[in-house]
Amino acid sequence: MLFDDYNPLEKKQLQILDPDGKVVNKDLEPKIDDETLLKMYKIMRLSRMSDEKALQYQRQGRMLTFAPAMGQEAAQVGPMAASEEKDWLVQAFRETAALLYKGVTVEQNYLYWYGNERGSRYDDGVNALPVNVPIGSQFSHAAGIAYAARYKKTGAAAVAYIGDGGTSHGEFHEGVNFAGTNDLPVVFIIQNNHYAISTPRAAQTRAATLAQKAVAYGIPGIQVDGNDPLAMYVATSEALKRARNGEGPTLIEAVTYRMGPHTTSDDPTLYREDSEVEEWAKKDPIERFNKYLANKKLWNKDKDEALTKEYKKTIKNTFKKVEASEHPTVDEVFDFTYESLTPELKRQKEERLRDIEESEAK
Amino acid sequence: MLFDDYNPLEKKQLQILDPDGKVVNKDLEPKIDDETLLKMYKIMRLSRMSDEKALQYQRQGRMLTFAPAMGQEAAQVGPMAASEEKDWLVQAFRETAALLYKGVTVEQNYLYWYGNERGSRYDDGVNALPVNVPIGSQFSHAAGIAYAARYKKTGAAAVAYIGDGGTSHGEFHEGVNFAGTNDLPVVFIIQNNHYAISTPRAAQTRAATLAQKAVAYGIPGIQVDGNDPLAMYVATSEALKRARNGEGPTLIEAVTYRMGPHTTSDDPTLYREDSEVEEWAKKDPIERFNKYLANKKLWNKDKDEALTKEYKKTIKNTFKKVEASEHPTVDEVFDFTYESLTPELKRQKEERLRDIEESEAK
Amino acid sequence: MAEITLLNAINKTLDQQMENDENVIVYGEDTGYEGGVFRVTAGLQKKYGKDRVFDAPIAEGAIIGSAIGMAANGLRPVPEIQFSGFMFPGYNQIVTHMARMRNRSRGKYQMPITIRMPYGGGVNALEHHSESLETLFAHIPGLKLVIPSTPYDAKGLLTAAIKDNDPVIFFEPKRIYRAFKQEVPDEEYTVPIGKAKVVQEGDDVTVVAWGAMMKDTLKAAKRLEDEGHSVEVIDLRTIAPMDSDTVIESVKKTGRFVVVHEAVKTLGIGSELISRVNEGAFFHLEAQPTRVTGFDITIPLPKGEHHQTVSEEKIYKKLKEVATFK
Amino acid sequence: MAEITLLNAINKTLDQQMENDENVIVYGEDTGYEGGVFRVTAGLQKKYGKDRVFDAPIAEGAIIGSAIGMAANGLRPVPEIQFSGFMFPGYNQIVTHMARMRNRSRGKYQMPITIRMPYGGGVNALEHHSESLETLFAHIPGLKLVIPSTPYDAKGLLTAAIKDNDPVIFFEPKRIYRAFKQEVPDEEYTVPIGKAKVVQEGDDVTVVAWGAMMKDTLKAAKRLEDEGHSVEVIDLRTIAPMDSDTVIESVKKTGRFVVVHEAVKTLGIGSELISRVNEGAFFHLEAQPTRVTGFDITIPLPKGEHHQTVSEEKIYKKLKEVATFK
Ligand SMILES: Cc1ncc(C[n+]2csc(CCOP(=O)(O)OP(=O)(O)O)c2C)c(N)n1
Ligand SMILES: Cc1ncc(C[n+]2csc(CCOP(=O)(O)OP(=O)(O)O)c2C)c(N)n1
Ligand SMILES: [Mg+2]
Ligand SMILES: [Mg+2]
């Protein structure tokens, strides 16, 4: 129904909350309980603030390369709020807000980008795969997870992310198609943030929308205002309903914008105009949602200031903790290659331990 | 225009010649000169007869594994007749009729499947890539060829083939998309012969048609009766017009049927009903075209019998020649690894020559 | 206990493992309804249903990638790659994810995946159907690679692979799929991954081979024995992790070493074995360690393939040369 | 003649080759407008236009596959892979087509393609950004693989690669992209593919390295020289086809051999070099040939990467051990 009404081939895009925080599509406004609405907002703020702070640290030479999610928080928090704990998050690499919503801590996220694999061992019960660096390769993981979920009748679905650039990859095609033929419970979300590093969306494909790529797999596709958390919530809810009903996967294009650099190694002024960034700043997902909550009397300036203060503190303390954390040990870098060390690896590990001993003896 | 009228999303399929050889779409009947019409017919016959004969030889243990094109001749000869000598053929591996039309000889084709690379060195001036075994990987070759053609302003386009199974492959996606973003002069033809070895078309993708996959790339797609040489001619002509006009690639789905086994190693009775094969026999492209030519007074039974006799003889003589051909020499298997032999390969080649000498001395 | 072929042993093992563990899922191109182009999975879909045995679209990336997802979510997938020469589109998943997921997640997600693929030449096949690509797996940390040379080992190694919590590549020597029969117990048993097998003890020279090359190697060794030389023959069985210790022990005894493989010479498994023999038994070496391998060329199409074949004769000659070297 | 960095040398060479040959086409992910994530192709699109320098969609398969088509139709494409760890999706094209098209077509289609890719660790990078994957190319018949260690060689080897009628993988040691400057002639010149370079002559021990490891190797050798040992240092420069003859000649002289590489140990280039040294200089060896390499593990993320690093100290220790072995 929703997917019939918002056919990307007819250039339709789903929006519920406009940039001013006004509900422009009353019929589709989801009934989300207050607690969840506040969680969504808070996670968006936490994600944004942790990105901003990490950027600062990075400029001070204290943080390593990372990929900020700034600007894309709604596209991540909406779908996570629409899904259940048992559902799986299969991320690309820019899904800070989605991870935080799912139960990954800022500490874990920082630790990972700080260069320690320990940060990508999310707690048991957090159904999320680690950061996926090879572009496009994660969609078939989501299909496999969904296959197992259906096979084991857990009722869970997978929610998987990819970027606009990722849709050009062969593995995007294979993953969605595989899920399609098997009618698997997956929601595929493209975060079209208009760039793949320096390469604009238009250079990735001649298709007018990325949502229309769904046609290739015989599944529904929808283009959504990706800076509107309510629209993202609604589209994902509908897609999850399909998924749980055995109707198969759905493809959602979240139209959003990467407000920061690609990663901290990137200089976006090389390839995009400030004016473009400013235009998108006006459509910021957090401000928009703030106004919505204020209109609903769920939030106000005082609360916001208190939250800012609290998060500033915890983020700072968290980063300090990460900076003080033990670097990966010899055990850690060797012992997870296989379930148990092979004879050759045992020798190599001993060699490494000997080297350390010798250099410490000096 | 044609591609608007035959939108695969509206379940339209282009047919001009029906299974009885009657023109059912007078407006679109192409004006092909008699010589070309006869060439098309003769190549279809030659392809069919050479396949049938090779199957016989294979059962006698004289021919190795090969992939017969039987049933798919129209889908191959139509596009070749529509294209020019300067255009490139990028085959998959079941394009006997297309190759023959393009100027590859039965002898070369036989020699290749007989297990000799010499058979895949087509003559200079025959713009065709060799057989492409890794499924799906050839579409980006076509894109690259087209890129070079446009860059060098030769006016040539590329016509590339793939099977229904091949459309599931990531490299199908990458190749078409790459051609799309660059507006390259390529015609992508899917021969949907309903099976990928034993796997039916429906198991490859949930999409109702393969032509609709064009939507994913923002290019036109059309489903064509692939057993109708005129429809294939017309669709390809239109696509080539677009290509040469700089309008970019087109995706054509030729709906056809593999009348024989996948390859001679395959036993199709394991996975499909005889009745299905019989149904498709009624739609045979050669008979259909024969009737069309007869109606046009271009062909008759006597001519047909004479042709059969002639081809029987040449095919038999050709195969004898192939059987008598020299097997690949040591030079041949070593010398084409690089432009010139590396020192190590020189040593290895000498070792091989010594081995032969010694075993011959015995 | 019945006399069965290597192919049959694999089929029965898949059957047994599916019977014993409902988490075992089998799929691939033509693997379901037809039971595989070699009929290795014949009968399984009928017995276990389409949920557990199915036909995948032609997309090796998705075949391996989905297995990674299944494994992360508790299954033990046994995907098939139709021929090892077609693993390349799935190689990205194998190297960048399957081999690394345990390490990346610091042990949270293990990858109990067994990828079956027929490999090797000598069957008059088309291009890309005759490759021996051991190196491309053995070079990658996190992967295991096993190759049986007998029906008995095929069952034992495949059982061990499916039960292993790490990803195992299971190469099937298609040239000997149906070449001979052997008694194979009906009960479940494993052949340990990571252990080479001394097939025949001897004192004068050590020769290591695996897979389809075992037969020719044993024949060549027999000829040498008949001429009065004592040959120690080792079936490497597991290529990764490589049991070089067994090989080194043997070379310490014999002082002479020959490795045999179908794969191309440069950076074939032989290069690593020779290096390890150097590292472990250098001062025992009485002759230079030597390899009998394919040449560094593309496997020719059938009519030229004999130029590339590692024949019994070739092995015999090299063995003799090394055994009699003074 | 100007003093320039290795990165700058590559940029200037691309410029010169594009200037001299209109068939040279440069493209890849972010290679066009931005000039590459490392700015190696900076300025080229502006100078030569979008037809000759462009941004490709993220699809390594199509990037290499289209280069194959371009080459078949007369161009000399120089595609870029953003990091060597992302070559896997293009590896199918590299192995199954690019390396074989000349042979498959019996010489009709040659493949004058140069694939540039930054490689190697030590730059605090994300996962998959630090790999050394030499083996995966050097094992494949039909491919060439070169790795410069200086700005001078970068220009000479890249020029030779672009002019070569066979496919060449051009590894760029990104750790030393901007590490130092060297005088590089403005005129066109080539450094021959397939020729190792004796960087420093010596009598006591031979050490072979390449790429970013050259600097550390030379420093380690210097320390050893200071202690009175004479070290012959060879920059392999071309990994495939491997100039083992130069190495063997050297080992015949020194009797001792050490190979250094960043890549994992098992089946690293060292294994092949040791095997060839065995084959060519076995009876000259006075100590066991040895390798200093990465461990057989996934390259750790930055905070653990030091465990995997092949340091000057490590090379020095091994060189000393081998040089002084009695
Ligand atoms: C297979 C592969 N190729 C190249 C890269 C290098 N790379 C990292 S991010 C990126 C751009 C991704 O763009 P997009 O998918 O739009 O995601 P975004 O960064 O915008 O979130 C590229 C090319 C990679 N990680 N993997
Ligand atoms: C990458 C790859 N995977 C698997 C195969 C084995 N294989 C050969 S043909 C074929 C089926 C192809 O089906 P389709 O594309 O429909 O072409 P058709 O055979 O029907 O002409 C398969 C799976 C292959 N050649 N390449
Ligand atoms: Mg993007
Ligand atoms: Mg088919």
Side-chain angles (χ1 to χ4, degrees):
Chain A
M1 255 232 12
L2 180 78
F3 301 117
D4 292 336
D5 294 345
Y6 289 85
N7 185 342
L9 292 173
E10 293 163 7
K11 310 220 180 311
K12 295 239 178 96
Q13 190 186 95
L14 175 66
Q15 190 189 61
I16 295 173
L17 208 56
D18 79 1
D20 295 326
K22 277 208 290 286
V23 174
V24 292
N25 198 333
K26 200 72 200 159
D27 291 353
L28 287 177
E29 185 186 0
K31 283 172 200 48
I32 307 177
D33 61 66
D34 294 350
E35 198 187 336
T36 304
L37 284 172
L38 287 173
K39 181 175 176 188
M40 290 168 71
Y41 179 74
K42 287 177 183 174
I43 295 282
M44 286 167 78
R45 289 292 315 279
L46 183 61
S47 176
R48 175 74 58 95
M49 285 180 67
S50 79
D51 269 351
E52 284 171 345
K53 195 69 194 165
L55 271 174
Q56 263 184 32
Y57 289 129
Q58 204 276 339
R59 277 186 222 110
Q60 297 167 9
R62 294 163 68 188
M63 186 63 169
L64 298 180
T65 308
F66 78 100
M70 297 177 313
Q72 303 180 210
E73 294 88 351
Q76 299 179 17
V77 154
M80 288 303 102
S83 54
E84 299 176 25
E85 200 181 330
K86 68 183 176 207
D87 294 329
W88 283 71
L89 166 62
V90 178
Q91 61 176 320
F93 55 88
R94 196 189 295 288
E95 279 70 47
T96 312
L99 287 171
L100 295 178
Y101 200 102
K102 203 69 192 155
V104 172
T105 62
V106 174
E107 185 181 340
Q108 286 168 325
N109 191 49
Y110 270 7
L111 190 61
Y112 173 77
W113 295 109
Y114 191 69
N116 190 327
E117 289 84 352
R118 222 178 296 141
S120 69
R121 194 215 193 287
Y122 308 145
D123 296 347
D124 293 344
V126 174
N127 286 342
L129 292 188
V131 161
N132 183 95
V133 173
I135 299 295
S137 56
Q138 69 275 25
F139 268 22
S140 58
H141 304 170
I145 284 173
Y147 195 99
R150 187 180 60 189
Y151 178 74
K152 297 191 294 173
K153 300 193 173 54
T154 64
V159 179
Y161 280 94
I162 203 168
D164 46 317
T167 63
S168 300
H169 214 276
E171 299 218 34
F172 160 87
H173 176 77
E174 295 193 358
V176 182
N177 191 56
F178 187 94
T181 26
N182 287 289
D183 296 328
L184 295 176
V186 195
V187 183
F188 292 112
I189 300 177
I190 304 165
Q191 287 184 90
N192 171 6
N193 64 5
H194 288 79
Y195 288 91
I197 310 185
S198 72
T199 306
R201 150 65 187 86
Q204 291 297 338
T205 183
R206 199 170 127 150
T209 68
L210 301 176
Q212 78 193 49
K213 289 181 184 283
V215 172
Y217 314 106
I219 62 171
I222 186 171
Q223 200 182 56
V224 180
D225 178 343
N227 284 6
D228 172 356
L230 299 185
M232 287 303 299
Y233 179 95
V234 167
T236 309
S237 297
E238 280 293 309
L240 281 168
K241 214 181 284 168
R242 280 177 40 79
R244 294 195 222 282
N245 279 343
E247 293 168 61
T250 307
L251 186 69
I252 297 174
E253 176 188 3
V255 180
T256 179
Y257 196 79
R258 193 191 75 211
M259 294 304 295
H262 168 71
T263 66
T264 48
S265 314
D266 175 53
D267 174 8
T269 64
L270 283 173
Y271 53 81
R272 68 184 190 189
E273 301 293 335
D274 286 349
S275 57
E276 186 183 283
V277 184
E278 282 153 25
E279 272 315 301
W280 276 95
K282 294 179 193 153
K283 304 183 197 163
D284 190 82
I286 297 185
E287 274 177 42
R288 188 186 303 206
F289 204 45
N290 178 308
K291 284 179 190 154
Y292 176 70
L293 295 182
N295 289 340
K296 274 180 111 64
K297 309 275 181 260
L298 282 172
W299 199 248
N300 58 38
K301 227 181 143 200
D302 288 350
K303 284 185 186 170
D304 215 54
E305 276 166 12
L307 190 78
T308 305
K309 223 168 134 184
E310 180 200 330
Y311 281 175
K312 260 196 180 151
K313 205 170 126 190
T314 51
I315 287 171
K316 207 169 154 182
N317 289 338
T318 302
F319 188 73
K320 276 192 188 151
K321 218 170 137 192
V322 167
E323 270 189 321
S325 66
E326 190 196 21
H327 288 186
T329 62
V330 175
D331 284 348
E332 282 178 299
V333 301
F334 278 90
D335 292 4
F336 295 105
T337 308
Y338 299 96
E339 188 169 32
S340 54
L341 280 175
T342 65
E344 174 64 23
L345 271 180
K346 205 176 275 173
R347 281 189 287 269
Q348 294 186 10
K349 186 178 168 184
E350 279 158 16
E351 184 189 326
R352 176 63 194 146
L353 287 168
R354 232 173 16 248
D355 275 354
I356 291 176
E357 233 171 70
E358 282 173 27
S359 76
E360 277 168 1
K362 274 202 212 161
Chain B
M1 254 232 15
L2 181 79
F3 301 118
D4 292 336
D5 295 345
Y6 289 87
N7 184 344
L9 292 174
E10 293 163 6
K11 310 220 177 313
K12 297 240 178 94
Q13 191 185 95
L14 175 67
Q15 189 188 60
I16 295 173
L17 209 56
D18 79 1
D20 295 325
K22 275 207 291 286
V23 174
V24 292
N25 198 334
K26 201 71 200 160
D27 291 352
L28 288 176
E29 186 185 1
K31 283 169 201 50
I32 307 177
D33 61 68
D34 294 351
E35 197 188 335
T36 304
L37 284 171
L38 287 173
K39 179 174 177 191
M40 289 167 71
Y41 179 75
K42 286 178 184 173
I43 294 283
M44 286 168 78
R45 289 290 316 278
L46 183 61
S47 175
R48 176 74 57 95
M49 286 180 68
S50 79
D51 270 349
E52 284 170 346
K53 195 68 193 167
L55 271 174
Q56 263 184 35
Y57 289 129
Q58 203 277 341
R59 276 185 222 109
Q60 297 166 9
R62 295 164 68 189
M63 186 64 168
L64 298 180
T65 309
F66 78 101
M70 297 178 312
Q72 304 179 206
E73 294 88 352
Q76 298 178 18
V77 155
M80 289 303 103
S83 52
E84 298 175 28
E85 201 182 331
K86 68 181 175 208
D87 295 328
W88 283 72
L89 166 62
V90 178
Q91 60 176 321
F93 55 88
R94 197 189 294 288
E95 280 69 49
T96 313
L99 287 170
L100 296 177
Y101 200 101
K102 202 72 192 151
V104 172
T105 63
V106 174
E107 185 181 340
Q108 287 167 324
N109 191 48
Y110 270 6
L111 189 61
Y112 173 78
W113 295 108
Y114 192 69
N116 191 326
E117 290 83 351
R118 222 177 296 142
S120 67
R121 194 215 193 287
Y122 309 144
D123 295 348
D124 293 343
V126 173
N127 286 343
L129 291 189
V131 161
N132 183 95
V133 173
I135 299 296
S137 55
Q138 68 276 25
F139 267 22
S140 58
H141 304 171
I145 284 174
Y147 195 99
R150 188 181 58 189
Y151 179 73
K152 297 192 295 175
K153 301 193 171 53
T154 65
V159 179
Y161 279 94
I162 203 168
D164 46 317
T167 63
S168 300
H169 215 278
E171 299 219 31
F172 161 85
H173 176 76
E174 294 193 358
V176 182
N177 191 57
F178 186 94
T181 28
N182 287 290
D183 296 328
L184 296 176
V186 195
V187 183
F188 293 112
I189 300 178
I190 304 165
Q191 286 184 90
N192 171 6
N193 64 5
H194 288 78
Y195 288 92
I197 310 185
S198 71
T199 306
R201 150 64 187 86
Q204 291 296 337
T205 182
R206 200 170 126 152
T209 67
L210 301 176
Q212 77 193 52
K213 288 183 185 282
V215 173
Y217 314 105
I219 63 170
I222 185 169
Q223 199 181 57
V224 179
D225 179 344
N227 284 6
D228 171 357
L230 299 186
M232 287 303 298
Y233 180 95
V234 167
T236 308
S237 297
E238 280 293 309
L240 281 167
K241 214 179 287 168
R242 278 179 41 79
R244 295 195 222 280
N245 279 344
E247 294 169 58
T250 307
L251 186 68
I252 297 175
E253 176 187 2
V255 181
T256 179
Y257 196 80
R258 194 191 74 211
M259 294 303 295
H262 168 71
T263 66
T264 48
S265 313
D266 175 54
D267 174 8
T269 64
L270 283 173
Y271 54 81
R272 67 186 192 186
E273 301 292 336
D274 286 349
S275 57
E276 185 183 283
V277 184
E278 282 154 23
E279 272 316 301
W280 276 94
K282 294 179 194 153
K283 305 183 199 164
D284 190 83
I286 297 183
E287 275 177 43
R288 190 186 301 205
F289 203 46
N290 178 308
K291 285 180 190 152
Y292 176 71
L293 296 181
N295 288 342
K296 275 180 109 67
K297 310 272 181 262
L298 283 170
W299 200 247
N300 59 37
K301 224 179 145 199
D302 287 350
K303 286 185 182 169
D304 215 54
E305 275 166 12
L307 190 78
T308 306
K309 224 169 134 185
E310 180 200 330
Y311 281 174
K312 259 197 180 148
K313 205 169 127 192
T314 51
I315 287 172
K316 207 170 154 180
N317 289 338
T318 301
F319 189 73
K320 275 192 189 150
K321 218 171 137 192
V322 167
E323 270 188 321
S325 66
E326 189 196 19
H327 288 187
T329 62
V330 175
D331 283 349
E332 281 177 300
V333 302
F334 277 90
D335 293 2
F336 295 106
T337 308
Y338 299 96
E339 188 169 31
S340 56
L341 280 177
T342 66
E344 174 64 23
L345 271 178
K346 204 176 276 175
R347 281 190 286 268
Q348 294 185 12
K349 186 176 169 185
E350 278 158 16
E351 183 188 327
R352 175 64 194 147
L353 288 167
R354 231 168 21 243
D355 275 355
I356 292 176
E357 233 172 69
E358 282 174 25
S359 78
E360 277 169 1
K362 275 202 210 156
Chain C
M1 193 141 89
E3 288 235 322
I4 56 176
T5 61
L6 192 142
L7 187 147
N8 207 217
I10 296 170
N11 178 272
K12 281 176 180 287
T13 307
L14 290 171
D15 190 354
Q16 188 170 60
Q17 290 309 307
M18 294 195 76
E19 182 89 46
N20 293 354
D21 184 350
E22 64 175 17
N23 289 326
V24 176
I25 304 284
V26 167
Y27 62 108
E29 293 156 15
D30 306 294
T31 308
Y33 189 82
E34 185 189 44
V37 292
F38 287 105
R39 324 268 312 118
V40 176
T41 56
L44 298 177
Q45 185 179 76
K46 209 159 177 194
K47 187 158 172 195
Y48 297 102
K50 283 191 177 174
D51 247 25
R52 294 188 62 191
V53 186
F54 65 96
D55 288 324
I58 306 180
E60 288 77 10
I63 289 174
I64 310 297
S66 60
I68 290 167
M70 290 181 194
N73 201 3
L75 301 184
R76 304 187 88 80
V78 186
E80 171 181 297
I81 296 293
Q82 203 159 71
F83 289 86
S84 72
F86 302 134
M87 70 87 186
F88 291 101
Y91 194 56
N92 186 40
Q93 290 289 346
I94 291 174
V95 177
T96 71
H97 293 306
M98 192 176 79
R100 289 164 171 247
M101 193 59 90
R102 174 189 292 282
N103 185 64
R104 183 184 296 148
S105 68
R106 285 294 184 251
K108 182 174 177 185
Y109 296 117
Q110 43 188 27
M111 293 282 119
I113 300 169
T114 303
I115 308 180
R116 297 177 35 248
M117 43 181 111
Y119 89 102
V123 298
N124 273 336
L126 301 176
E127 199 194 343
H128 301 296
H129 288 69
S130 302
E131 276 61 26
S132 291
L133 301 171
E134 291 92 321
T135 292
L136 301 186
F137 301 106
H139 180 55
I140 307 298
L143 297 182
K144 298 180 177 179
L145 169 62
V146 300
I147 311 183
S149 69
T150 65
Y152 181 91
D153 282 356
K155 174 164 180 176
L157 285 171
L158 183 55
T159 303
I162 294 173
K163 290 177 177 295
D164 202 292
N165 286 328
D166 286 312
V168 181
I169 311 292
F170 187 84
F171 265 22
E172 303 179 356
K174 61 177 175 293
R175 181 152 69 89
I176 57 168
Y177 258 156
R178 300 182 169 91
F180 60 98
K181 293 185 177 185
Q182 188 185 31
E183 289 215 332
V184 173
D186 290 332
E187 318 76 72
E188 184 183 286
Y189 64 89
T190 59
V191 165
I193 293 177
K195 282 272 158 248
K197 183 182 177 187
V198 179
V199 178
Q200 169 183 311
E201 296 195 17
D203 296 314
D204 297 345
V205 57
T206 300
V207 59
V208 175
W210 55 88
M213 293 318 303
M214 278 312 295
K215 268 184 64 189
D216 304 281
T217 302
L218 282 164
K219 280 195 218 156
K222 175 80 171 55
R223 279 170 67 184
L224 222 68
E225 295 258 338
D226 290 348
E227 295 174 16
H229 303 284
S230 164
V231 184
E232 180 135 318
V233 182
I234 297 178
D235 182 347
L236 196 58
R237 289 204 300 206
T238 302
I239 311 303
M242 196 181 276
D243 182 9
S244 37
D245 293 346
T246 295
V247 177
I248 288 167
E249 277 321 300
S250 173
V251 177
K252 279 183 179 166
K253 179 175 67 175
T254 62
R256 290 156 199 262
F257 175 66
V258 176
V259 50
V260 178
H261 59 68
E262 288 184 64
V264 300
K265 182 178 180 186
T266 294
L267 289 159
I269 298 300
S271 67
E272 180 61 30
L273 265 177
I274 288 179
S275 297
R276 293 199 186 188
V277 162
N278 260 279
E279 282 156 5
F282 183 69
F283 292 100
H284 298 82
L285 286 171
E286 293 162 24
Q288 87 190 28
T290 306
R291 35 189 175 169
V292 189
T293 71
F295 297 116
D296 288 329
I297 58 174
T298 297
I299 317 284
L301 291 184
K303 289 294 184 286
E305 197 183 351
H306 60 290
H307 292 303
Q308 175 71 339
T309 305
V310 175
S311 61
E312 178 200 322
E313 178 68 18
K314 227 170 139 169
I315 304 169
Y316 163 77
K317 269 165 44 181
K318 191 60 82 177
L319 268 180
K320 179 147 185 176
E321 188 187 313
V322 173
T324 59
F325 179 86
K326 282 200 190 82
Chain D
M1 195 142 90
E3 288 235 321
I4 56 174
T5 62
L6 193 142
L7 187 147
N8 207 217
I10 297 170
N11 176 272
K12 280 174 180 288
T13 307
L14 290 170
D15 189 354
Q16 187 170 62
Q17 290 308 307
M18 293 194 76
E19 182 88 47
N20 293 354
D21 185 349
E22 64 175 16
N23 288 327
V24 176
I25 304 283
V26 167
Y27 63 108
E29 293 155 15
D30 307 294
T31 308
Y33 189 80
E34 186 190 43
V37 293
F38 287 105
R39 325 269 312 120
V40 176
T41 55
L44 298 177
Q45 186 180 75
K46 208 158 178 196
K47 185 158 174 195
Y48 297 103
K50 283 190 176 174
D51 247 26
R52 295 187 64 192
V53 186
F54 64 96
D55 288 323
I58 306 180
E60 287 78 9
I63 289 173
I64 311 296
S66 60
I68 290 167
M70 290 181 194
N73 202 4
L75 302 185
R76 305 186 89 81
V78 187
E80 170 182 296
I81 296 292
Q82 203 160 71
F83 289 86
S84 71
F86 303 133
M87 70 86 186
F88 292 101
Y91 195 55
N92 186 42
Q93 291 289 346
I94 292 174
V95 176
T96 72
H97 292 306
M98 191 177 77
R100 290 163 170 248
M101 192 59 90
R102 174 189 293 280
N103 184 63
R104 183 184 296 147
S105 68
R106 284 294 184 253
K108 182 174 178 187
Y109 297 116
Q110 45 188 27
M111 292 283 120
I113 300 169
T114 303
I115 308 181
R116 296 178 36 246
M117 43 181 111
Y119 88 103
V123 297
N124 274 335
L126 301 177
E127 200 193 345
H128 302 297
H129 288 69
S130 302
E131 276 60 27
S132 291
L133 302 170
E134 292 92 321
T135 292
L136 301 186
F137 302 105
H139 181 55
I140 307 298
L143 296 182
K144 298 181 178 178
L145 168 62
V146 300
I147 310 183
S149 69
T150 64
Y152 181 91
D153 282 357
K155 175 164 180 177
L157 285 170
L158 182 55
T159 303
I162 293 174
K163 289 176 176 296
D164 203 292
N165 285 328
D166 285 314
V168 181
I169 312 291
F170 186 83
F171 265 21
E172 303 179 356
K174 61 176 174 291
R175 182 150 70 87
I176 57 168
Y177 258 156
R178 299 181 170 93
F180 61 98
K181 292 186 176 185
Q182 190 185 27
E183 289 214 331
V184 173
D186 291 331
E187 317 75 75
E188 184 182 288
Y189 64 89
T190 59
V191 165
I193 294 178
K195 281 275 157 245
K197 181 180 179 190
V198 179
V199 178
Q200 168 182 312
E201 295 195 19
D203 297 315
D204 297 344
V205 58
T206 300
V207 58
V208 175
W210 54 89
M213 293 318 304
M214 278 313 295
K215 267 185 65 187
D216 305 282
T217 302
L218 282 165
K219 279 195 217 157
K222 175 80 172 54
R223 280 170 67 184
L224 222 68
E225 296 258 338
D226 291 347
E227 296 173 16
H229 304 285
S230 164
V231 185
E232 179 135 320
V233 182
I234 297 177
D235 182 347
L236 197 58
R237 289 202 301 205
T238 301
I239 312 302
M242 195 179 278
D243 181 8
S244 37
D245 293 347
T246 295
V247 177
I248 287 166
E249 278 320 300
S250 174
V251 176
K252 279 185 180 164
K253 179 175 67 172
T254 63
R256 291 155 199 260
F257 176 66
V258 175
V259 50
V260 178
H261 59 66
E262 288 184 63
V264 300
K265 182 177 180 185
T266 294
L267 289 160
I269 298 301
S271 67
E272 180 62 28
L273 264 177
I274 288 180
S275 298
R276 293 199 186 186
V277 162
N278 259 279
E279 283 157 4
F282 184 69
F283 291 100
H284 297 81
L285 286 172
E286 292 161 26
Q288 89 191 22
T290 305
R291 34 189 174 168
V292 189
T293 71
F295 297 116
D296 287 331
I297 57 175
T298 298
I299 316 287
L301 292 184
K303 289 293 183 289
E305 197 184 352
H306 59 291
H307 292 303
Q308 175 71 342
T309 305
V310 175
S311 60
E312 178 201 321
E313 177 68 20
K314 227 169 139 169
I315 304 169
Y316 163 76
K317 270 162 49 179
K318 190 62 82 180
L319 268 180
K320 178 145 186 179
E321 187 186 313
V322 173
T324 59
F325 179 85
K326 285 203 187 82

